[in-house]
């Protein structure tokens, strides 16, 4: 059995689909890569079992507004998007959502972007029971819950 490697300083997220082995990477915050680049990219790699130690090549990529703290991938409940949504928590406080199909097609893939957080987004997770909900948390203690099927409305989690 072969393996492939990805030469990136990045935050990874496995594609949840069974048919393809896909891996997304977002340029990680707080680190310098070998090229000393200051760009931030979200890339999707299609991995194969016959790589035999070869470097994987990105199948699609888009620019991001800042570097990534967190990256997650969801397909549940998203029939209109067969490869699902990628959600990124960025160092500048942005939370962004991309259509994975559009990234691979080389199209404009941003579905939604928000600057609701005032600090770096260090926590981001899709709800495993309610696939339409995403929770994000920032360094300054802010927590938001996003509904990805209701126009990406966010709600601040707080005391009752």
């Amino acid at each position: 059995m072969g393996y492939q490697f990805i030469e990136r300083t990045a935050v990874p997220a496995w594609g949840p689909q069974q048919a393809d082995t896909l891996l997304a990477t977002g340029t990680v915050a707080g680190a310098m890569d070998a090229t000393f680049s200051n760009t931030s990219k979200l890339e999707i790699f299609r991995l194969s079992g016959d790589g035999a130690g070869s470097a994987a090549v990105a199948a699609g990529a888009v620019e991001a507004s800042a570097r990534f703290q967190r990256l997650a991938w969801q397909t549940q409940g998203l029939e209109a998007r067969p490869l699902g949504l990628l959600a990124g928590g960025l160092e500048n406080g942005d939370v962004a959502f991309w259509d994975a199909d559009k990234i691979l097609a080389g199209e404009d893939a941003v579905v939604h972007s928000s600057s609701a957080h005032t600090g770096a987004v260090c926590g981001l997770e899709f709800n495993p029971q309610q696939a339409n909900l995403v929770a994000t948390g920032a360094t300054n203690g802010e927590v938001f819950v996003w509904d990805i099927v209701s126009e990406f409305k966010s709600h601040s989690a707080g005391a009752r």
Side-chain angles (χ1 to χ4, degrees):
M1 173 152 73
Y3 68 92
Q4 290 181 285
F5 60 90
I6 299 170
E7 292 183 352
R8 300 286 186 278
T9 305
V11 174
W14 284 108
Q17 53 281 25
Q18 299 279 328
D20 263 339
T21 303
L22 299 175
L23 182 71
T25 63
T27 308
V28 73
M32 187 64 67
D33 67 9
T35 66
F36 298 101
S37 171
N38 63 356
T39 63
S40 181
K41 286 186 180 180
L42 172 59
E43 299 175 283
I44 297 177
F45 295 85
R46 185 171 276 120
L47 305 177
S48 64
D50 59 357
S54 64
V57 177
V62 293
E63 296 287 323
S65 63
R67 291 185 172 220
F68 289 76
Q69 296 276 9
R70 293 287 182 265
L71 184 61
W73 198 333
Q74 175 70 290
T75 58
Q76 290 180 312
L78 298 169
E79 288 74 25
R81 294 186 170 93
L83 292 178
L85 280 179
L86 284 152
L90 308 179
E91 67 182 343
N92 65 354
D94 287 358
V95 175
F97 299 87
W98 295 269
D99 184 318
D101 292 280
K102 290 184 177 183
I103 293 173
L104 292 173
E107 300 172 11
D108 180 19
V110 176
V111 175
H112 180 77
S113 183
S114 173
S115 300
H117 286 289
T118 56
V121 179
C122 295
L124 182 147
E125 187 171 349
F126 283 95
N127 183 320
Q129 307 306 318
Q130 292 180 276
N132 61 306
L133 299 179
V134 180
T136 59
T139 55
N140 59 1
E142 297 169 326
V143 175
F144 291 110
V145 177
W146 305 82
D147 188 338
I148 63 174
V149 296
S150 295
E151 300 177 1
F152 292 89
K153 290 181 181 170
S154 66
H155 306 281
S156 178
R160 291 184 178 211

